[in-house]
Amino acid sequence: MSEARAEIMARLRTALRDVPADEAIEDAPVARDYRRDGTGADPARLRDLLADRVADYRATVHRCGADELATTVRTILAGHETATLLVPHDLPDDWHAGYAGTIYRDSANFPYPLATLDATDTVLTGCAVAIAETGTLVLDAGMAQGRRAITLVPDHHVCVVGADQVVGTVPEALARLDPVRPLTFVAGPSATSDIEFDRVEGVHGPRHLDVILLHGAPG
């Protein structure tokens, strides 16, 4: 063994001297004493926290009642000059009532062509749950959410969050979710940075995210 190799191996042995044997690791109990419940805040405070955290991620937050949802959606789409709007097949019509642009519906029987999905301006969906402490929206391809591709490819995503969908912590959110479903966790618009910390948006998903936070449940 060369001198350099011997030195490396000696350093590894020194660094690993306090690591227990594999058998001890396997038998060690898993700590479950982390906090599972919410922040202890009332629902209105949780919504405020969610709004603050989502805004920190450079998403735009809109707050309204369920009866104002269609008006809020139209205002958002007008601001983005949306020409084509894609919605899941089971999205309620009254979410986008009065929108005069072109609306496409995606479904398993009539999927929106992937070849043209990239040219779609905006997708409008609901979500499964929203986590206040982390500012995270979770989609599971359930009601009013559609398949994963339609929320990752278009440049603009408008997501509606009902008041009863907001929880405080990640454990609370996971308790509501089915782990076998296709879960997508959204924390603001898609963004990444290179080694020089130059921010690039839209690489892994929409560059623009508008979150509509309702006072009550969506219709």
Side-chain angles (χ1 to χ4, degrees):
M1 181 182 299
S2 68
E3 182 177 344
R5 178 179 174 82
E7 181 180 355
I8 292 173
M9 297 303 296
R11 290 186 180 184
L12 287 173
R13 284 191 292 271
T14 299
L16 296 174
R17 63 188 175 188
D18 296 329
V19 177
D22 291 343
E23 294 78 8
I25 295 176
E26 291 177 359
D27 296 336
V30 178
R32 302 290 186 186
D33 56 350
Y34 50 82
R35 184 166 55 87
R36 295 170 177 267
D37 60 346
T39 61
D42 60 26
R45 186 174 175 186
L46 282 181
R47 293 196 297 272
D48 289 341
L49 178 60
L50 175 66
D52 289 342
R53 296 291 165 85
V54 169
D56 281 343
Y57 290 135
R58 300 190 185 183
T60 303
V61 180
H62 312 264
R63 308 183 72 158
C64 68
D67 58 339
E68 304 169 297
L69 177 55
T71 301
T72 303
V73 168
R74 291 197 305 271
T75 301
I76 294 172
L77 299 184
H80 280 265
E81 298 182 352
T82 300
T84 54
L85 174 64
L86 180 62
V87 300
H89 74 281
D90 54 358
L91 190 92
D93 290 336
D94 55 4
W95 285 23
H96 52 77
Y99 173 65
T102 302
I103 299 176
Y104 296 99
R105 285 191 176 271
D106 182 82
S107 70
N109 294 328
F110 301 98
Y112 193 66
L114 292 176
T116 56
L117 186 58
D118 189 45
T120 301
D121 297 302
T122 298
V123 59
L124 171 65
T125 74
C127 71
V129 67
I131 309 170
E133 287 192 349
T134 61
T136 307
L137 312 177
V138 187
L139 285 72
D140 66 357
M143 177 68 183
Q145 297 166 61
R147 55 195 172 111
R148 176 177 286 168
I150 69 172
T151 59
L152 294 179
V153 179
D155 195 53
H156 181 208
H157 182 193
V158 180
C159 187
V160 179
V161 181
D164 61 346
Q165 294 179 308
V166 181
V167 299
T169 65
V170 172
E172 284 181 294
L174 294 178
R176 292 194 181 192
L177 298 167
D178 184 347
V180 303
R181 296 190 66 84
L183 303 178
T184 303
F185 289 73
V186 179
S190 170
T192 188
S193 298
D194 61 17
I195 194 171
E196 296 181 350
F197 297 103
D198 291 327
R199 181 182 174 94
V200 179
E201 298 179 341
V203 176
H204 310 295
R207 287 187 304 153
H208 306 285
L209 174 64
D210 281 270
V211 177
I212 304 176
L213 185 54
L214 299 181
H215 306 321

